Amino acid sequence: SANMLSWKGGMATIYSDSYDDTFTRNSLIDNGNGCGIRPGMTSSITLNYISGQCFGFQQNDGSGIQVQVKPQKGVRIENNWVFDSPKYGIRFDGEPPKIGKYGTVQGNVVLRTNGVNLKGDYHDASNNLVLDSVKENSKEGKCSLCLWKTVRRNLGVINQHSTVMNNIADVANGGFVFEKKGNKIIQVRNSDGSWATWPIQGSTVENNLFGNDTQSFIQDSNNNDFRPVKGSEADNSKIGPYFRTKPPGPYWIPGREEEKASDPVPPTGSETVIAQRRRHVMWRNAYNCDKHQVYFGTSKEDVTSADKNSDTFIGVVSNRRNIKLIPPEWKVMPGGSDMPEEERTVYYWRVDAVTESGEVVKGDVWSFSTI
């Protein structure tokens, strides 16, 4: 756990051939291997941040998290972020008669990859968010969340006892349709000439939001805020990986915890923050720090030099929480990247970590502007 791995190759960036392993709070960034984490038997894979896996498309196979047939039994893949890869974000291998069973994929966020593809049966896919799949290098079909009925021209049926609940995906299906015709197995087309697909497979497929209109019920997915919009169907029905709470938070951000606060939400430098939905700022807490001091304003110099007596000091967050309400005097207003620079408001903020001994570890100054 707590590793930072980048620019690595080999069989997998992290590979195991043992039992009962736990992979937690690792950050895997821009590694060339096709596979990020390949676990052994009955593993737990939680709170990992995987970005840019196989970023140069140097290998033909792989996934951010890839589970072979036998290790699928009892594996738990929960609360990970997998972003920006030409490979699958999460993948279960196998095809009849050799398939895996009883894997759990729950509460993950997978963006701008080839999606999530779970082959096998008796799997549990729940409360995941899977969007913006990139299929330029894929022959696997056009789905973000995929639980296939057959594995291409192998007509053995899979996923008839799997559970698919409370997920959000822009495209979800059961893979391309193949059928036997004479001595051949052919791929089936719809009447309009497009390739036919099965509905997403499972004995229980309930309470999911599938379609392209995700921005209406996700706070700001382009800026790593995956909370449901208040009062939306995702909020009311507890769909997706995050739930609204009172008071807000904590907002789990996976990956390695550093000496100081890291991984701001919104990401620093973003110019596309949705102003009407930006009432909070969030961050990954510093390692082993329970308390964080937060500063916010519109002057980089003021935020950089601020202390607890400054106007830009907006409060202390404790009890491992990592979310802070922006006060009314600093209300975030709509802007636009097309506005002249001198008219555009840039918001600056800083989070200082307080160690158990009381030492203050000064954080970086982050920024964002709005639309």
Side-chain angles (χ1 to χ4, degrees):
S1 63
N3 293 292
M4 173 71 78
L5 299 170
S6 59
W7 299 85
K8 302 294 183 183
M11 181 178 292
T13 308
I14 299 177
Y15 175 80
S16 171
D17 196 23
S18 60
Y19 287 78
D20 301 325
D21 289 320
T22 297
F23 305 86
T24 188
R25 283 214 171 275
N26 299 286
S27 293
L28 282 64
I29 300 173
D30 291 342
N31 290 284
N33 191 279
C35 181
I37 297 176
R38 182 177 290 179
M41 303 291 290
T42 56
S43 294
S44 174
I45 304 168
T46 62
L47 289 171
N48 299 285
Y49 175 79
I50 303 172
S51 177
Q53 195 68 36
C54 199
F55 71 98
F57 202 66
Q58 300 171 47
Q59 295 181 325
N60 290 326
D61 206 1
S63 179
I65 301 171
Q66 182 173 356
V67 188
Q68 296 172 299
V69 171
K70 288 185 178 180
Q72 289 171 31
K73 186 175 182 179
V75 71
R76 299 193 66 87
I77 302 174
E78 299 172 298
N79 302 133
N80 303 279
W81 285 3
V82 189
F83 296 167
D84 300 309
S85 171
K87 301 299 184 181
Y88 284 108
I90 301 171
R91 165 180 164 174
F92 285 177
D93 289 343
E95 62 178 281
K98 296 181 179 180
I99 63 171
K101 299 178 181 178
Y102 302 108
T104 296
V105 177
Q106 187 174 72
N108 302 281
V109 180
V110 180
L111 301 181
R112 300 177 298 274
T113 72
N114 266 0
V116 173
N117 189 351
L118 307 182
K119 303 170 192 173
D121 207 353
Y122 295 93
H123 298 315
D124 179 1
S126 57
N127 291 98
N128 300 288
L129 173 64
V130 193
L131 300 176
D132 300 330
S133 292
V134 289
K135 296 293 183 180
E136 290 85 351
N137 299 305
S138 176
K139 299 177 181 178
E140 306 289 77
K142 303 296 182 181
C143 60
S144 294
L145 180 59
C146 319
L147 275 82
W148 288 353
K149 184 172 183 176
T150 65
V151 182
R152 307 179 193 89
R153 287 174 167 78
N154 181 332
L155 298 185
V157 177
I158 58 176
N159 276 317
Q160 298 307 287
H161 305 90
S162 294
T163 297
V164 184
M165 293 186 65
N166 307 322
N167 299 283
I168 299 172
D170 47 7
V171 182
N173 62 50
F176 287 133
V177 177
F178 294 87
E179 66 179 20
K180 191 170 184 179
K181 189 172 184 179
N183 295 324
K184 296 182 179 181
I185 296 174
I186 64 167
Q187 188 171 353
V188 178
R189 291 185 182 272
N190 295 312
S191 58
D192 64 0
S194 62
W195 295 116
T197 57
W198 296 107
I200 195 166
Q201 298 294 291
S203 58
T204 303
V205 181
E206 296 178 355
N207 206 41
N208 300 287
L209 290 173
F210 296 150
N212 292 319
D213 187 25
T214 58
Q215 293 301 327
S216 64
F217 44 80
I218 298 296
Q219 197 79 9
D220 191 356
S221 63
N222 292 326
N223 287 290
N224 294 348
D225 189 345
F226 308 115
R227 298 173 298 169
V229 171
K230 185 177 181 180
S232 67
E233 185 176 356
D235 179 26
N236 295 335
S237 300
K238 305 298 182 187
I239 303 174
Y242 290 88
F243 305 141
R244 300 185 72 91
T245 60
K246 290 185 178 181
Y251 180 81
W252 57 266
I253 299 176
R256 183 176 185 263
E257 292 179 329
E258 309 282 349
E259 179 186 12
K260 55 187 176 182
S262 59
D263 210 345
V265 177
T268 191
S270 175
E271 298 180 346
T272 60
V273 174
I274 302 173
Q276 64 185 20
R277 296 183 180 176
R278 183 51 46 206
R279 298 182 63 241
H280 301 92
V281 287
M282 291 95 78
W283 60 91
R284 184 193 297 126
N285 283 338
Y287 177 71
N288 210 27
C289 290
D290 180 63
K291 186 182 294 184
H292 293 76
Q293 302 168 353
V294 186
Y295 302 85
F296 191 95
T298 55
S299 165
K300 183 176 182 180
E301 292 74 18
D302 289 350
V303 171
T304 300
S305 61
D307 59 28
K308 293 179 70 174
N309 296 314
S310 303
D311 292 340
T312 56
F313 175 66
I314 63 172
V316 175
V317 178
S318 56
N319 298 322
R320 296 297 297 170
R321 306 186 84 80
N322 65 333
I323 180 169
K324 181 60 182 171
L325 179 70
I326 301 170
E329 59 267 28
W330 297 115
K331 182 180 179 181
V332 173
M333 302 299 291
S337 58
D338 57 340
M339 294 175 61
E341 187 172 347
E342 63 272 13
E343 297 180 15
R344 201 184 329 152
T345 299
V346 178
Y347 299 90
Y348 299 93
W349 58 298
R350 190 183 96 214
V351 178
D352 294 350
V354 183
T355 68
E356 290 181 331
S357 64
E359 177 189 1
V360 177
V361 181
K362 188 173 181 178
D364 297 327
V365 174
W366 298 317
S367 68
F368 67 87
S369 57
T370 62
I371 55 176

